Amino acid sequence: MNKLIPIFFLFLLSGQQQQEKIIARQGRVAFFSYTSVENIKAENNQVLSIIDLSNDEIAVSMLMNAFVFEKALMREHFNESYVESDIYPKATFEGKIIDFDPAQDGEQTRMVKGTFSMHGVSKELEIKTKIEKVQGKYILSGTFEAFVKDYDIKVPPLLAGNIAKTISVDFRFEYQPYES
């Protein structure tokens, strides 16, 4: 009987740790490039994100070739010439939600600080993020600007007028309890 007590507590602790992680398996990331020549927008609905509520750490991973464009040629140029998704297949973000209170219901606006890595380049970012907790579920959303030159993306001079120097990136993640 005495041997069962430690095993029971170990089981309880592992269950508590499991509940502290939440996951968004089909998060959404979209970007928009505005120029006087051409607008380019794309959306990726296959973005994975995990938050550890015990320490407010967040991780995001997305496949670059999962972005959907209005035109097939845009997708081809994006994957082959700009982000080189065969060489750099994923973009990731690892960071922390600052002053986050997971127990607070309703809406919070918090800064998320961390490292965004894309195209072989990592940059520190601070992103203003809206966090909603409704019926025990979390929704994170926000917008940030990414500079094309910061990620070593080469734009041919002939096409420089078609692609903005700054790209607007929107995201939205709906989290569920993580079950391994």
Side-chain angles (χ1 to χ4, degrees):
M1 181 70 174
N2 287 341
K3 291 180 181 178
L4 289 178
I5 292 172
I7 293 171
F8 178 72
F9 282 115
L10 184 62
F11 177 76
L12 281 178
L13 288 174
S14 68
Q16 287 174 344
Q17 290 174 348
Q18 187 176 24
Q19 292 174 356
E20 292 177 349
K21 291 186 179 155
I22 55 176
I23 187 167
R25 287 186 170 88
Q26 292 183 316
R28 178 187 160 277
V29 173
F31 70 81
F32 184 73
S33 165
Y34 169 80
T35 67
S36 59
V37 177
E38 181 174 40
N39 293 335
I40 301 171
K41 61 182 177 178
E43 189 170 303
N44 186 339
N45 290 313
Q46 299 176 31
V47 184
L48 178 69
S49 178
I50 297 176
I51 297 175
D52 186 338
L53 298 175
S54 68
N55 58 16
D56 304 332
E57 290 181 351
I58 182 171
V60 178
S61 179
M62 67 179 159
L63 291 174
M64 298 306 288
N65 67 4
F67 277 97
V68 177
F69 292 78
E70 297 171 344
K71 301 174 185 172
L73 191 57
M74 287 180 177
R75 182 177 185 164
E76 183 181 322
H77 287 167
F78 175 79
N79 284 300
E80 291 178 9
S81 302
Y82 302 118
V83 297
E84 301 174 282
S85 60
D86 56 331
I87 300 169
Y88 308 104
K90 290 194 301 186
T92 61
F93 178 84
E94 293 181 21
K96 189 167 180 94
I97 307 169
I98 307 303
D99 297 326
F100 177 48
D101 181 2
Q104 181 180 325
D105 285 331
E107 188 176 304
Q108 304 176 55
T109 300
R110 298 290 180 257
M111 294 302 291
V112 176
K113 294 182 180 181
T115 305
F116 179 62
S117 299
M118 179 178 72
H119 198 245
V121 178
S122 297
K123 292 284 182 188
E124 295 297 314
L125 291 181
E126 290 186 29
I127 306 167
K128 186 176 179 180
T129 305
K130 180 171 85 170
I131 304 169
E132 299 171 82
K133 182 181 179 189
V134 181
Q135 298 177 346
K137 296 182 181 177
Y138 297 88
I139 299 170
L140 270 71
S141 59
T143 301
F144 67 95
E145 301 292 318
F147 294 93
V148 174
K149 66 178 173 110
D150 285 351
Y151 296 94
D152 198 27
I153 295 171
K154 308 289 186 237
V155 178
L158 183 63
L159 298 174
N162 294 41
I163 298 173
K165 292 178 180 15
T166 305
I167 307 295
S168 177
V169 181
D170 296 318
F171 60 90
R172 179 180 169 86
F173 301 106
E174 295 184 23
Y175 293 88
Q176 303 289 327
Y178 179 77
E179 297 174 12
S180 56

